[in-house]
Amino acid sequence: MSAPTIEEAAAAVADPNAYADDDRIHAALAHLRRTAPVAWVEAPGYHPFWAITRHEDIMAVERANDVFTNSPRPVLMTAAEEELQAAVQIRTLIHMDDPEHRVMRAVALNWFRPRALKAMRSRIDELARIYVDKLAAAGGECDFVQEVAVNFPLYVIMSLLGVPEADFPRMLTLTQELVGSADTELARSTPPDEQMNALLDMFDYFSKLAARRREHPTDDMASTIANAVIDGEPLGDIDAVSYYALIATAGHDTTTSSISGGMRALIEHPEQRRRLTDDLELLPAATEEMIRWVTPVKAFMRTATQDTEVGGVPVAQGDSLLLSYVSGNRDDEAFDEPFRFDVGREVNKHVAFGFGVHFCLGAPLARMEISSFFNELLPRLRSIELAGEPELTATTFVGGLKHLPIKYTMV
Ligand code: HEM
Protein backbone atom coordinates (compact mmCIF):
# COMPACT_ATOMS: atom_id res chain seq x y z
CA MET A 1 0.00 0.00 0.00
CA SER A 2 1.46 3.42 -0.93
CA ALA A 3 1.61 6.06 1.82
CA PRO A 4 -1.49 8.29 1.92
CA THR A 5 -1.21 12.03 1.25
CA ILE A 6 -2.06 14.38 4.12
CA GLU A 7 -5.43 15.09 2.51
CA GLU A 8 -6.20 11.38 2.10
CA ALA A 9 -5.10 10.66 5.65
CA ALA A 10 -7.20 13.52 7.01
CA ALA A 11 -10.24 12.39 5.00
CA ALA A 12 -9.93 8.89 6.51
CA VAL A 13 -10.48 10.34 9.98
CA ALA A 14 -14.06 11.30 8.97
CA ASP A 15 -14.75 8.18 6.89
CA PRO A 16 -16.67 5.46 8.79
CA ASN A 17 -15.42 2.80 6.36
CA ALA A 18 -11.79 3.61 7.16
CA TYR A 19 -12.37 2.34 10.73
CA ALA A 20 -13.63 -0.97 9.33
CA ASP A 21 -10.13 -1.54 7.91
CA ASP A 22 -7.45 -1.62 10.62
CA ASP A 23 -4.53 -1.25 8.20
CA ARG A 24 -6.05 1.72 6.42
CA ILE A 25 -6.97 3.72 9.51
CA HIS A 26 -3.67 3.03 11.27
CA ALA A 27 -1.64 3.97 8.17
CA ALA A 28 -3.60 7.23 7.84
CA LEU A 29 -3.24 8.13 11.52
CA ALA A 30 0.47 7.25 11.65
CA HIS A 31 0.98 9.52 8.65
CA LEU A 32 -0.85 12.38 10.36
CA ARG A 33 1.10 11.94 13.62
CA ARG A 34 4.34 12.17 11.65
CA THR A 35 3.53 14.92 9.20
CA ALA A 36 0.50 16.92 10.40
CA PRO A 37 -0.40 16.05 14.00
CA VAL A 38 -2.84 18.97 14.16
CA ALA A 39 -4.49 18.73 10.73
CA TRP A 40 -7.34 20.78 9.32
CA VAL A 41 -9.97 18.42 7.87
CA GLU A 42 -12.54 19.46 5.31
CA ALA A 43 -14.49 16.30 4.52
CA PRO A 44 -17.57 16.35 2.29
CA GLY A 45 -20.78 16.43 4.33
CA TYR A 46 -19.04 17.53 7.55
CA HIS A 47 -18.36 20.88 9.11
CA PRO A 48 -14.56 21.23 9.15
CA PHE A 49 -12.46 20.41 12.22
CA TRP A 50 -8.90 19.91 13.46
CA ALA A 51 -7.79 16.29 13.80
CA ILE A 52 -5.54 15.92 16.87
CA THR A 53 -3.54 12.72 16.57
CA ARG A 54 -0.65 12.86 19.08
CA HIS A 55 -1.15 11.47 22.59
CA GLU A 56 0.47 14.52 24.18
CA ASP A 57 -1.79 16.99 22.33
CA ILE A 58 -4.92 14.97 23.10
CA MET A 59 -4.06 15.05 26.81
CA ALA A 60 -3.35 18.79 26.69
CA VAL A 61 -6.76 19.52 25.13
CA GLU A 62 -8.58 17.20 27.59
CA ARG A 63 -6.84 18.88 30.53
CA ALA A 64 -7.77 22.43 29.46
CA ASN A 65 -11.54 21.92 29.75
CA ASP A 66 -12.11 25.66 30.32
CA VAL A 67 -10.57 26.46 26.93
CA PHE A 68 -11.89 23.41 25.06
CA THR A 69 -15.53 22.62 25.79
CA ASN A 70 -17.71 19.63 24.92
CA SER A 71 -20.57 21.84 23.84
CA PRO A 72 -21.74 22.45 21.16
CA ARG A 73 -20.12 19.61 19.16
CA PRO A 74 -19.03 16.68 21.36
CA VAL A 75 -19.13 13.97 18.69
CA LEU A 76 -18.29 13.86 15.00
CA MET A 77 -21.46 13.72 12.92
CA THR A 78 -22.36 14.79 9.43
CA ALA A 79 -23.81 18.29 9.12
CA ALA A 80 -27.24 16.71 8.39
CA GLU A 81 -27.08 14.54 11.53
CA GLU A 82 -26.03 17.54 13.63
CA GLU A 83 -29.07 19.45 12.45
CA LEU A 84 -31.44 16.59 13.22
CA GLN A 85 -29.96 15.95 16.62
CA ALA A 86 -30.23 19.65 17.56
CA ALA A 87 -33.97 19.34 16.88
CA VAL A 88 -34.26 16.40 19.33
CA GLN A 89 -32.70 18.51 22.13
CA ILE A 90 -30.62 15.65 23.46
CA ARG A 91 -28.68 16.61 26.60
CA THR A 92 -26.30 14.19 28.25
CA LEU A 93 -23.08 14.50 30.24
CA ILE A 94 -21.08 14.50 27.05
CA HIS A 95 -23.00 17.55 25.81
CA MET A 96 -22.38 19.54 29.03
CA ASP A 97 -19.56 21.56 30.54
CA ASP A 98 -18.72 22.52 34.10
CA PRO A 99 -20.25 23.63 36.40
CA GLU A 100 -23.46 21.99 35.09
CA HIS A 101 -21.59 18.87 33.99
CA ARG A 102 -20.08 18.27 37.45
CA VAL A 103 -23.49 18.46 39.16
CA MET A 104 -25.11 16.15 36.63
CA ARG A 105 -22.23 13.65 36.73
CA ALA A 106 -22.64 13.42 40.52
CA VAL A 107 -26.19 12.05 40.05
CA ALA A 108 -24.97 8.58 38.99
CA LEU A 109 -21.43 8.73 40.39
CA ASN A 110 -22.13 6.58 43.47
CA TRP A 111 -23.09 3.68 41.25
CA PHE A 112 -19.56 3.56 39.87
CA ARG A 113 -17.65 3.92 43.13
CA PRO A 114 -15.63 0.95 44.47
CA ARG A 115 -18.26 0.07 47.10
CA ALA A 116 -21.12 -0.19 44.61
CA LEU A 117 -18.94 -2.10 42.16
CA LYS A 118 -17.85 -4.52 44.86
CA ALA A 119 -21.51 -5.29 45.37
CA MET A 120 -21.86 -5.91 41.61
CA ARG A 121 -18.82 -8.22 41.46
CA SER A 122 -20.57 -11.50 42.21
CA ARG A 123 -23.38 -10.74 39.74
CA ILE A 124 -20.86 -9.88 37.01
CA ASP A 125 -18.87 -13.06 37.72
CA GLU A 126 -22.08 -15.08 37.59
CA LEU A 127 -23.06 -13.54 34.24
CA ALA A 128 -19.54 -14.15 32.89
CA ARG A 129 -19.88 -17.81 33.88
CA ILE A 130 -23.29 -18.04 32.17
CA TYR A 131 -21.83 -16.68 28.92
CA VAL A 132 -18.75 -18.88 29.06
CA ASP A 133 -21.11 -21.84 29.59
CA LYS A 134 -23.08 -20.72 26.53
CA LEU A 135 -19.87 -20.67 24.54
CA ALA A 136 -19.11 -24.23 25.69
CA ALA A 137 -22.66 -25.26 24.78
CA ALA A 138 -22.40 -23.70 21.30
CA GLY A 139 -20.43 -26.77 20.26
CA GLY A 140 -17.02 -25.55 19.17
CA GLU A 141 -17.89 -23.08 16.44
CA CYS A 142 -19.74 -19.74 16.54
CA ASP A 143 -19.71 -16.03 15.83
CA PHE A 144 -18.20 -14.88 19.12
CA VAL A 145 -19.49 -11.30 18.78
CA GLN A 146 -23.11 -12.12 18.06
CA GLU A 147 -23.42 -15.08 20.39
CA VAL A 148 -21.43 -13.96 23.41
CA ALA A 149 -19.80 -10.53 23.38
CA VAL A 150 -22.89 -8.41 22.63
CA ASN A 151 -25.06 -10.07 25.23
CA PHE A 152 -22.90 -10.17 28.34
CA PRO A 153 -22.28 -6.38 28.71
CA LEU A 154 -25.89 -5.68 27.69
CA TYR A 155 -27.08 -7.91 30.51
CA VAL A 156 -24.77 -6.19 33.00
CA ILE A 157 -25.68 -2.62 32.08
CA MET A 158 -29.41 -3.23 31.72
CA SER A 159 -29.51 -5.05 35.07
CA LEU A 160 -27.69 -2.13 36.69
CA LEU A 161 -30.04 0.39 35.13
CA GLY A 162 -33.10 -1.66 36.08
CA VAL A 163 -34.56 -2.45 32.65
CA PRO A 164 -36.78 -5.58 32.82
CA GLU A 165 -35.13 -8.63 31.28
CA ALA A 166 -37.91 -9.12 28.73
CA ASP A 167 -36.93 -5.80 27.13
CA PHE A 168 -33.20 -6.56 26.72
CA PRO A 169 -33.47 -7.68 23.07
CA ARG A 170 -35.27 -4.47 22.13
CA MET A 171 -32.59 -2.40 23.88
CA LEU A 172 -29.91 -4.34 22.04
CA THR A 173 -31.42 -3.48 18.68
CA LEU A 174 -31.89 0.18 19.54
CA THR A 175 -28.40 0.75 20.97
CA GLN A 176 -26.82 -0.96 17.97
CA GLU A 177 -28.83 1.10 15.53
CA LEU A 178 -27.81 4.26 17.33
CA VAL A 179 -24.10 3.75 17.70
CA GLY A 180 -23.56 1.68 14.57
CA SER A 181 -25.69 3.93 12.43
CA ALA A 182 -22.99 4.47 9.78
CA ASP A 183 -22.80 0.73 9.20
CA THR A 184 -25.27 -0.44 6.57
CA GLU A 185 -25.65 -3.87 8.19
CA LEU A 186 -26.58 -2.45 11.60
CA ALA A 187 -28.57 0.66 10.68
CA ARG A 188 -32.29 0.20 10.10
CA SER A 189 -31.84 2.21 6.88
CA THR A 190 -29.42 4.79 5.55
CA PRO A 191 -31.25 8.15 5.70
CA PRO A 192 -30.41 10.04 8.93
CA ASP A 193 -34.07 10.86 9.63
CA GLU A 194 -34.80 7.11 9.76
CA GLN A 195 -31.90 6.65 12.19
CA MET A 196 -33.45 9.33 14.34
CA ASN A 197 -36.46 7.02 14.75
CA ALA A 198 -34.25 4.65 16.74
CA LEU A 199 -33.38 7.54 19.06
CA LEU A 200 -37.03 8.52 19.41
CA ASP A 201 -38.03 4.89 20.15
CA MET A 202 -35.44 4.73 22.88
CA PHE A 203 -36.58 8.05 24.34
CA ASP A 204 -40.17 6.86 24.35
CA TYR A 205 -39.22 3.65 26.15
CA PHE A 206 -37.11 5.48 28.75
CA SER A 207 -39.77 8.18 29.41
CA LYS A 208 -42.13 5.41 30.46
CA LEU A 209 -39.46 3.80 32.64
CA ALA A 210 -38.73 7.15 34.38
CA ALA A 211 -42.45 7.69 35.02
CA ARG A 212 -42.74 4.20 36.57
CA ARG A 213 -39.70 4.77 38.81
CA ARG A 214 -41.06 8.10 40.02
CA GLU A 215 -44.33 6.48 40.96
CA HIS A 216 -42.72 3.41 42.55
CA PRO A 217 -39.01 3.93 43.24
CA THR A 218 -36.87 0.76 43.52
CA ASP A 219 -33.19 0.28 44.35
CA ASP A 220 -31.94 0.50 40.75
CA MET A 221 -30.00 3.21 38.91
CA ALA A 222 -33.08 4.20 36.91
CA SER A 223 -34.77 5.18 40.23
CA THR A 224 -31.73 7.19 41.40
CA ILE A 225 -31.75 9.17 38.16
CA ALA A 226 -35.54 9.60 37.88
CA ASN A 227 -35.77 10.91 41.45
CA ALA A 228 -32.62 13.07 41.47
CA VAL A 229 -32.95 16.62 42.80
CA ILE A 230 -30.64 19.36 41.54
CA ASP A 231 -30.62 22.77 43.26
CA GLY A 232 -33.93 21.89 44.89
CA GLU A 233 -35.57 21.01 41.56
CA PRO A 234 -36.44 17.47 40.41
CA LEU A 235 -34.48 16.35 37.38
CA GLY A 236 -36.49 17.15 34.24
CA ASP A 237 -37.82 14.47 31.92
CA ILE A 238 -35.42 15.20 29.07
CA ASP A 239 -32.43 15.11 31.41
CA ALA A 240 -33.51 11.83 33.06
CA VAL A 241 -34.22 10.13 29.76
CA SER A 242 -30.99 11.42 28.20
CA TYR A 243 -29.10 10.02 31.19
CA TYR A 244 -30.62 6.55 30.67
CA ALA A 245 -29.83 6.67 26.97
CA LEU A 246 -26.22 7.64 27.68
CA ILE A 247 -25.69 4.84 30.22
CA ALA A 248 -27.38 2.30 27.94
CA THR A 249 -25.34 3.17 24.87
CA ALA A 250 -22.01 4.08 26.54
CA GLY A 251 -22.05 1.00 28.74
CA HIS A 252 -22.73 -1.55 26.09
CA ASP A 253 -21.05 -1.46 22.69
CA THR A 254 -17.79 -0.19 24.17
CA THR A 255 -17.37 -3.21 26.44
CA THR A 256 -18.62 -5.62 23.77
CA SER A 257 -15.97 -4.31 21.38
CA SER A 258 -13.23 -4.60 23.99
CA ILE A 259 -14.11 -8.21 24.80
CA SER A 260 -14.36 -9.30 21.17
CA GLY A 261 -11.29 -7.32 20.07
CA GLY A 262 -9.42 -8.73 23.09
CA MET A 263 -10.46 -12.25 22.09
CA ARG A 264 -9.24 -11.66 18.54
CA ALA A 265 -5.91 -10.32 19.80
CA LEU A 266 -5.46 -13.44 21.96
CA ILE A 267 -6.21 -15.66 18.93
CA GLU A 268 -3.76 -13.77 16.73
CA HIS A 269 -1.08 -13.73 19.44
CA PRO A 270 -1.20 -17.29 20.83
CA GLU A 271 1.95 -16.76 22.88
CA GLN A 272 0.21 -13.90 24.70
CA ARG A 273 -2.83 -16.11 25.32
CA ARG A 274 -0.62 -18.85 26.82
CA ARG A 275 1.21 -16.28 28.94
CA LEU A 276 -2.06 -14.89 30.30
CA THR A 277 -3.66 -18.31 30.85
CA ASP A 278 -0.57 -19.42 32.79
CA ASP A 279 -0.58 -16.28 34.92
CA LEU A 280 -4.06 -14.85 35.50
CA GLU A 281 -2.47 -12.27 37.83
CA LEU A 282 -1.74 -10.44 34.58
CA LEU A 283 -5.46 -9.89 33.97
CA PRO A 284 -5.58 -6.22 35.09
CA ALA A 285 -2.66 -5.37 32.75
CA ALA A 286 -4.13 -7.53 29.96
CA THR A 287 -7.50 -5.80 30.31
CA GLU A 288 -5.88 -2.37 29.90
CA GLU A 289 -3.95 -3.65 26.90
CA MET A 290 -7.11 -5.01 25.25
CA ILE A 291 -8.85 -1.66 25.76
CA ARG A 292 -5.87 0.22 24.31
CA TRP A 293 -5.54 -2.23 21.42
CA VAL A 294 -9.21 -1.99 20.47
CA THR A 295 -9.95 1.63 21.44
CA PRO A 296 -13.71 1.21 20.96
CA VAL A 297 -14.43 4.95 21.23
CA LYS A 298 -12.69 6.29 18.16
CA ALA A 299 -12.86 9.98 19.10
CA PHE A 300 -14.60 12.72 21.01
CA MET A 301 -14.65 16.38 20.03
CA ARG A 302 -14.06 19.71 21.74
CA THR A 303 -14.63 23.33 20.68
CA ALA A 304 -12.19 26.18 21.39
CA THR A 305 -13.75 28.98 23.47
CA GLN A 306 -10.93 31.38 22.62
CA ASP A 307 -8.08 31.84 20.16
CA THR A 308 -5.39 29.44 21.30
CA GLU A 309 -2.89 26.84 20.03
CA VAL A 310 -2.47 23.09 20.06
CA GLY A 311 0.97 21.56 19.50
CA GLY A 312 2.16 24.95 18.24
CA VAL A 313 -0.63 25.28 15.65
CA PRO A 314 -2.95 28.29 16.05
CA VAL A 315 -6.57 27.34 16.68
CA ALA A 316 -9.29 30.00 16.41
CA GLN A 317 -12.18 30.56 18.80
CA GLY A 318 -15.14 28.43 17.63
CA ASP A 319 -12.99 25.81 15.86
CA SER A 320 -13.80 22.15 16.59
CA LEU A 321 -11.13 19.59 17.43
CA LEU A 322 -11.39 15.85 17.04
CA LEU A 323 -9.39 13.94 19.66
CA SER A 324 -8.37 10.73 17.91
CA TYR A 325 -8.05 8.19 20.71
CA VAL A 326 -7.27 5.48 18.12
CA SER A 327 -4.26 7.50 17.08
CA GLY A 328 -3.14 8.55 20.58
CA ASN A 329 -3.11 4.90 21.63
CA ARG A 330 -0.62 3.96 18.89
CA ASP A 331 1.69 6.93 19.39
CA ASP A 332 5.28 5.72 19.80
CA GLU A 333 6.09 8.84 21.82
CA ALA A 334 3.72 7.54 24.50
CA PHE A 335 4.05 3.76 24.22
CA ASP A 336 6.93 1.38 23.86
CA GLU A 337 6.29 -0.45 20.54
CA PRO A 338 2.62 0.57 20.31
CA PHE A 339 1.83 -1.97 17.58
CA ARG A 340 2.88 -4.87 19.84
CA PHE A 341 0.04 -6.55 21.78
CA ASP A 342 1.50 -7.19 25.22
CA VAL A 343 -0.70 -8.62 28.00
CA GLY A 344 1.92 -7.65 30.54
CA ARG A 345 2.50 -4.06 29.36
CA GLU A 346 3.79 -2.22 32.39
CA VAL A 347 3.34 1.43 31.43
CA ASN A 348 0.01 1.86 29.65
CA LYS A 349 -1.30 5.41 29.89
CA HIS A 350 -3.86 4.90 27.15
CA VAL A 351 -6.54 7.46 26.32
CA ALA A 352 -9.27 4.94 25.45
CA PHE A 353 -11.33 6.22 28.41
CA GLY A 354 -10.51 9.85 27.63
CA PHE A 355 -9.02 12.01 30.35
CA GLY A 356 -9.92 14.85 32.74
CA VAL A 357 -13.40 15.86 33.87
CA HIS A 358 -15.22 13.71 31.28
CA PHE A 359 -13.07 10.63 31.97
CA CYS A 360 -15.30 7.61 31.38
CA LEU A 361 -17.70 7.21 34.28
CA GLY A 362 -18.04 3.49 33.65
CA ALA A 363 -14.31 2.68 33.35
CA PRO A 364 -14.14 0.62 36.59
CA LEU A 365 -17.25 -1.33 35.55
CA ALA A 366 -15.90 -1.99 32.06
CA ARG A 367 -12.57 -3.21 33.51
CA MET A 368 -14.39 -5.51 35.90
CA GLU A 369 -16.54 -7.01 33.12
CA ILE A 370 -13.62 -7.64 30.78
CA SER A 371 -11.35 -9.21 33.37
CA SER A 372 -14.19 -11.26 34.85
CA PHE A 373 -15.01 -12.67 31.43
CA PHE A 374 -11.45 -13.74 30.58
CA ASN A 375 -10.92 -15.02 34.11
CA GLU A 376 -13.80 -17.45 33.51
CA LEU A 377 -12.92 -18.27 29.92
CA LEU A 378 -9.18 -18.80 29.77
CA PRO A 379 -8.83 -21.69 32.25
CA ARG A 380 -11.51 -23.59 30.26
CA LEU A 381 -10.22 -22.85 26.78
CA ARG A 382 -8.07 -25.61 25.27
CA SER A 383 -7.69 -24.31 21.71
CA ILE A 384 -9.08 -21.50 19.60
CA GLU A 385 -8.63 -20.26 16.04
CA LEU A 386 -10.36 -18.04 13.51
CA ALA A 387 -13.02 -19.79 11.45
CA GLY A 388 -13.46 -16.93 8.98
CA GLU A 389 -12.62 -13.28 8.38
CA PRO A 390 -13.29 -10.95 11.35
CA GLU A 391 -15.40 -7.93 10.32
CA LEU A 392 -15.31 -4.47 11.88
CA THR A 393 -18.13 -1.92 12.18
CA ALA A 394 -18.06 1.13 9.92
CA THR A 395 -18.17 4.06 12.36
CA THR A 396 -16.40 7.26 13.33
CA PHE A 397 -17.61 7.03 16.94
CA VAL A 398 -18.05 3.73 18.81
CA GLY A 399 -17.44 0.27 17.45
CA GLY A 400 -15.24 -2.71 16.93
CA LEU A 401 -15.84 -6.21 15.64
CA LYS A 402 -19.32 -7.04 14.44
CA HIS A 403 -18.39 -10.63 13.46
CA LEU A 404 -15.67 -12.89 14.84
CA PRO A 405 -16.10 -16.45 13.56
CA ILE A 406 -14.20 -18.85 15.82
CA LYS A 407 -13.50 -22.58 16.22
CA TYR A 408 -12.51 -23.79 19.66
CA THR A 409 -12.34 -26.57 22.18
CA MET A 410 -13.21 -26.14 25.84
CA VAL A 411 -13.48 -28.10 29.04
C1 HEM B 1 -14.08 -0.37 27.44
C2 HEM B 1 -15.23 0.25 27.61
C3 HEM B 1 -15.41 1.75 27.54
C4 HEM B 1 -14.67 2.70 26.89
C5 HEM B 1 -13.45 2.49 26.01
C6 HEM B 1 -15.27 3.99 27.18
C7 HEM B 1 -14.79 5.20 26.71
C8 HEM B 1 -15.29 6.44 27.06
C9 HEM B 1 -14.76 7.71 26.60
C10 HEM B 1 -13.58 7.87 25.65
C11 HEM B 1 -15.49 8.69 27.18
C12 HEM B 1 -15.28 10.21 26.99
C13 HEM B 1 -14.14 10.68 27.86
C14 HEM B 1 -13.69 12.10 27.57
O1 HEM B 1 -14.41 12.88 26.94
O2 HEM B 1 -12.59 12.45 28.05
C15 HEM B 1 -16.49 8.05 27.99
C16 HEM B 1 -17.44 8.73 28.73
C17 HEM B 1 -18.45 8.09 29.40
N1 HEM B 1 -18.61 6.72 29.61
FE1 HEM B 1 -17.44 5.27 28.89
N2 HEM B 1 -16.34 3.79 27.99
C18 HEM B 1 -16.47 2.45 28.25
C19 HEM B 1 -17.41 1.83 29.05
C20 HEM B 1 -18.39 2.48 29.73
C21 HEM B 1 -19.35 1.83 30.59
C22 HEM B 1 -19.40 0.33 30.93
C23 HEM B 1 -20.17 2.80 31.05
C24 HEM B 1 -21.29 2.51 32.00
C25 HEM B 1 -22.31 3.10 32.20
C26 HEM B 1 -19.72 4.08 30.51
C27 HEM B 1 -20.28 5.32 30.74
C28 HEM B 1 -19.76 6.52 30.34
C29 HEM B 1 -20.35 7.81 30.66
C30 HEM B 1 -21.61 8.03 31.47
C31 HEM B 1 -19.53 8.80 30.07
C32 HEM B 1 -19.70 10.32 30.11
C33 HEM B 1 -18.81 10.91 31.19
C34 HEM B 1 -18.82 12.42 31.22
O3 HEM B 1 -19.02 13.08 30.19
O4 HEM B 1 -18.61 12.96 32.33
N3 HEM B 1 -18.64 3.84 29.70
N4 HEM B 1 -16.35 6.68 27.92
Side-chain angles (χ1 to χ4, degrees):
M1 200 199 303
S2 61
T5 62
I6 291 184
E7 288 71 27
E8 282 165 353
V13 173
D15 178 358
N17 292 317
Y19 294 85
D21 178 345
D22 267 339
D23 290 344
R24 182 173 161 212
I25 194 65
H26 284 304
L29 294 171
H31 191 65
L32 288 179
R33 281 195 300 277
R34 254 192 335 267
T35 56
V38 179
W40 186 243
V41 182
E42 291 184 8
Y46 292 87
H47 295 301
F49 60 89
W50 294 100
I52 314 297
T53 46
R54 279 191 186 153
H55 188 279
E56 187 187 348
D57 294 335
I58 293 170
M59 297 283 278
V61 172
E62 295 254 21
R63 255 187 224 111
N65 65 302
D66 48 342
V67 180
F68 301 103
T69 54
N70 274 43
S71 124
R73 197 185 178 191
V75 172
L76 182 66
M77 289 185 199
T78 62
E81 284 164 348
E82 279 183 14
E83 215 169 285
L84 276 159
Q85 191 138 93
V88 185
Q89 279 193 317
I90 192 167
R91 272 168 47 81
T92 73
L93 289 178
I94 63 163
H95 300 83
M96 293 176 191
D97 294 290
D98 285 347
E100 186 192 23
H101 164 259
R102 188 177 317 135
V103 175
M104 198 61 101
R105 188 171 159 112
V107 167
L109 196 59
N110 278 345
W111 284 92
F112 297 97
R113 289 195 197 278
R115 213 167 117 208
L117 288 176
K118 223 172 133 199
M120 282 286 289
R121 172 105 245 176
S122 60
R123 176 71 180 139
I124 292 176
D125 286 346
E126 183 192 334
L127 284 170
R129 210 165 306 127
I130 289 172
Y131 279 96
V132 171
D133 284 343
K134 280 188 199 257
L135 193 63
E141 193 158 348
C142 75
D143 180 346
F144 179 76
V145 180
Q146 295 305 323
E147 286 180 41
V148 177
V150 289
N151 294 308
F152 166 57
L154 178 82
Y155 237 80
V156 172
I157 200 67
M158 292 298 155
S159 312
L160 188 67
L161 200 51
V163 169
E165 208 170 315
D167 297 339
F168 288 2
R170 183 164 166 208
M171 282 294 122
L172 173 64
T173 314
L174 289 178
T175 53
Q176 284 191 329
E177 283 175 347
L178 281 177
V179 291
S181 61
D183 192 290
T184 46
E185 186 185 339
L186 301 179
R188 43 173 73 181
S189 67
T190 356
D193 55 334
E194 284 292 312
Q195 287 160 14
M196 273 300 133
N197 287 340
L199 189 64
L200 294 174
D201 276 5
M202 186 178 270
F203 267 54
D204 180 57
Y205 179 86
F206 281 146
S207 303
K208 290 177 182 144
L209 181 64
R212 287 204 301 276
R213 291 301 188 268
R214 284 187 181 127
E215 218 166 295
H216 302 290
T218 64
D219 60 358
D220 59 23
M221 193 192 290
S223 299
T224 305
I225 293 170
N227 297 294
V229 175
I230 292 184
D231 296 334
E233 295 288 328
L235 196 66
D237 262 350
I238 293 189
D239 282 340
V241 166
S242 301
Y243 222 126
Y244 292 173
L246 176 67
I247 300 281
T249 50
H252 175 216
D253 236 33
T254 46
T255 315
T256 295
S257 300
S258 305
I259 291 175
S260 36
M263 186 78 253
R264 177 186 184 176
L266 292 177
I267 295 171
E268 291 178 344
H269 302 85
E271 77 298 346
Q272 294 296 316
R273 179 162 62 81
R274 276 192 296 275
R275 187 178 164 206
L276 183 56
T277 308
D278 290 347
D279 181 5
L280 289 172
E281 296 285 308
L282 287 176
L283 264 173
T287 297
E288 290 312 310
E289 181 68 341
M290 288 177 192
I291 296 168
R292 177 188 79 87
W293 193 249
V294 174
T295 310
V297 178
K298 309 304 163 200
F300 261 100
M301 296 190 79
R302 298 293 187 265
T303 298
T305 57
Q306 61 190 58
D307 290 350
T308 180
E309 59 84 30
V310 177
V313 176
V315 167
Q317 178 181 12
D319 284 355
S320 312
L321 301 91
L322 178 137
L323 309 178
S324 175
Y325 299 134
V326 179
S327 178
N329 282 344
R330 297 293 169 103
D331 185 345
D332 56 14
E333 296 283 322
F335 301 94
D336 179 29
E337 293 184 66
F339 284 86
R340 182 169 47 88
F341 177 72
D342 176 0
V343 293
R345 189 174 283 278
E346 277 173 12
V347 183
N348 194 350
K349 296 200 163 116
H350 68 74
V351 282
F353 288 124
F355 188 74
V357 296
H358 286 275
F359 180 82
C360 176
L361 191 60
L365 176 65
R367 288 174 170 136
M368 192 181 272
E369 288 179 57
I370 298 164
S371 56
S372 170
F373 182 78
F374 286 102
N375 191 41
E376 283 297 329
L377 175 68
L378 291 176
R380 293 179 59 184
L381 196 59
R382 285 293 161 266
S383 69
I384 185 160
E385 60 186 291
L386 291 179
E389 227 2 76
E391 280 179 61
L392 291 158
T393 322
T395 181
T396 54
F397 186 31
V398 177
L401 287 167
K402 60 179 178 180
H403 299 295
L404 182 66
I406 54 168
K407 250 199 213 148
Y408 51 95
T409 50
M410 286 176 70
V411 288

